[in-house]
Amino acid sequence: MKSRQSGPGAAEGPDDAVTLAARLAARQVSAEAVVTAALDRIARFDPALKAFVTVDREGAIAAARRLDASDRPVGPLHGLPVAVKDVIDTADLRTTRGSLLFADHVPATDDPVVARLKAAGAVVVGKTNTPEFGFGAVCTNRIQGPTANPYDLRLTSGGSSGGSAAAVAAGLVPLAQGTDFGGSVRTPAGFCGIVSVRPTPGRIAEPGRDLAWTGLASHGVMARTVADAALMLAAMAGPDPADPLSWTVWPPLAAPESSLAPAASMLRVAASADFGVAPIADTVRHRFDAAVARIAAVAGPVERAHPDCAEAPAAFRTLRAAQIERGLADLVAGREDLLTDPVRWNLGAGRGLTARSYLEAEAARARLSRRFVAFFATRDVLVAPAASVMPWPNADGEVLAIDGRPLADILDYLTVTFVVTLVGFPVVTLPAPSDDLPFGLQLIGRPGEEARLLAFAARLEAEAGFAWRAPPPSMEIGP
């Protein structure tokens, strides 16, 4: 059985994750066959995409054979090939973090989120490309890249989870893990026309997080369909005593088609192209307006409104800069010549910050969060673009201007996503209907309400064309 998901240059492609999971659980197909097929697609198409830094063919097939030998399905992801972003540790599998400093680094243990994926039955087939340490607009580093956009190989797949996004969009794997600080799951998902979830902080426990009480960075889920994203999120989610953000008892995750989920027409939907502070390309604004009109046809009137976000840009810059400088300065000391320019810029932005400036940024973040809470007292979903620009040529590097208007710095183009990072509300990214380059939307909901967002996204996917579409066969990806 084949789904409408198809790989680049192919009339048919692999089944979606939900379909594959059902077939694997019923033993209609072996894990080895499914994993080998994914590895073969990677071998065929990835030389042009450069989505993967490391592929573990031998280890993945061995893991699949162990699953086939089990008496019953190991978990909900039994036998599904999954890709992991190359900033996340994987036991006995090279993890470079996109840096020459870790070019030969092989961790001894799995990151807890990888351990959860494996416990759910997933098979890690390889590590996906990222800018160095996940900091950069273009998915490239001195080891690998740049990763190409499956819809136009000249263009960027986005940063920093661009390798994961390209691998999923091109049908190389059905599911991929990503991370998101300022938009690193959402922007690549939008550029590559796939679904992503950046959950409420604590929904996916991170017991190894150094700054345990701050939730600016998050694991994320990347898939081709809403149901697939929900499947992976459920497998990754769960508390851990070592992560204080996970102590909250969030509502359980339900399947997107759950009869308990409210109908789209019952939700109160608002939309904002820029939160009043984000620089936005004219093309993005026009495509956003068209997408909102399409949503209104399903959900009813869409209010144009947003919370007051005036304090967000300065607060995010300070918090991000301080955390990056603290996390990397000692690690890279004396080896700065090995770093890429975006990492050096980010480190420089954090030097000289005072404790008072950091605490003032935290206070501004608290005020912003309370404004979002008040805003959502009378709204259920807030819709915004997933990026301020359309995909640009990889060769152009960082985003320094939009429509000829210079930006303040290399973070400015992320304003439309980092505003939501600050408040920690969950976001589902969904591709808007398009016959051209993909264009993504952020669907933002209240903390803990991922199930509601996924149900709304599933309705838009099924009834209004907000769905992944295969990259064009003319792209000629592969040798």
Side-chain angles (χ1 to χ4, degrees), residues 201-439:
R203 172 70 80 174
I204 301 174
E206 298 182 54
R209 187 174 53 247
D210 190 25
L211 301 175
W213 290 96
T214 182
L216 290 179
S218 171
H219 287 293
V221 169
M222 311 186 85
R224 291 191 295 274
T225 73
V226 175
D228 286 1
L231 177 71
M232 187 177 186
L233 177 61
M236 295 168 68
D240 188 292
D243 180 1
L245 296 184
S246 76
W247 296 347
T248 300
V249 181
W250 297 116
L253 293 165
E257 66 274 11
S258 170
S259 60
L260 299 177
S265 58
M266 296 171 58
L267 297 181
R268 300 163 296 178
V269 182
S272 176
D274 57 13
F275 296 112
V277 293
I280 296 290
D282 291 342
T283 301
V284 168
R285 196 174 295 274
H286 295 152
R287 294 188 69 164
F288 181 70
D289 289 343
V292 169
R294 195 95 169 230
I295 291 173
V298 173
V302 176
E303 178 190 8
R304 292 297 186 125
H306 56 77
D308 178 1
C309 299
E311 294 183 287
F316 180 79
R317 282 175 169 78
T318 297
L319 295 173
R320 173 189 167 98
Q323 290 187 21
I324 291 175
E325 198 278 337
R326 178 189 177 277
L328 289 183
D330 292 343
L331 179 68
V332 305
R335 299 183 289 176
E336 289 85 356
D337 59 313
L338 298 178
L339 303 176
T340 54
D341 289 341
V343 173
R344 282 196 288 266
W345 183 90
N346 276 284
L347 280 167
R351 295 192 184 102
L353 288 174
T354 64
R356 182 180 181 86
S357 66
Y358 186 86
L359 292 175
E360 290 291 355
E362 281 288 7
R365 181 187 181 193
R367 290 189 292 270
L368 178 66
S369 176
R370 290 167 188 144
R371 292 187 194 110
F372 264 75
V373 169
F375 182 85
F376 272 85
T378 55
R379 290 94 171 174
D380 299 305
V381 179
L382 176 58
V383 183
S388 61
V389 293
M390 296 297 291
W392 65 91
N394 267 319
D396 288 356
E398 300 291 315
V399 181
L400 303 176
I402 294 179
D403 291 345
R405 300 184 292 271
L407 300 181
D409 54 43
I410 64 174
L411 296 182
D412 216 7
Y413 88 105
L414 290 172
T415 304
V416 76
T417 48
F418 73 53
V419 163
V420 192
T421 293
L422 283 170
V423 297
F425 282 40
V427 186
V428 173
T429 305
L430 198 65
S434 174
D435 294 324
D436 194 3
L437 285 173
F439 173 73

Side-chain angles (χ1 to χ4, degrees), residues 3-8 13-14 151 165 168-171 192-195 223-225 430-432 461 465-471:
S3 70
R4 62 185 174 83
Q5 279 77 13
S6 57
Y151 296 85
V168 169
C192 294
I194 62 170
V195 179
R224 291 191 295 274
T225 73
L430 198 65
E461 180 183 54
F466 288 76
W468 171 87
R469 59 184 173 83

Side-chain angles (χ1 to χ4, degrees), residues 4 53 57 82 121 173 196 198 275 403 429 431 444:
R4 62 185 174 83
V53 180
R57 188 178 186 94
V82 170
V173 288
S196 77
R198 178 195 159 103
F275 296 112
D403 291 345
T429 305
I444 305 154

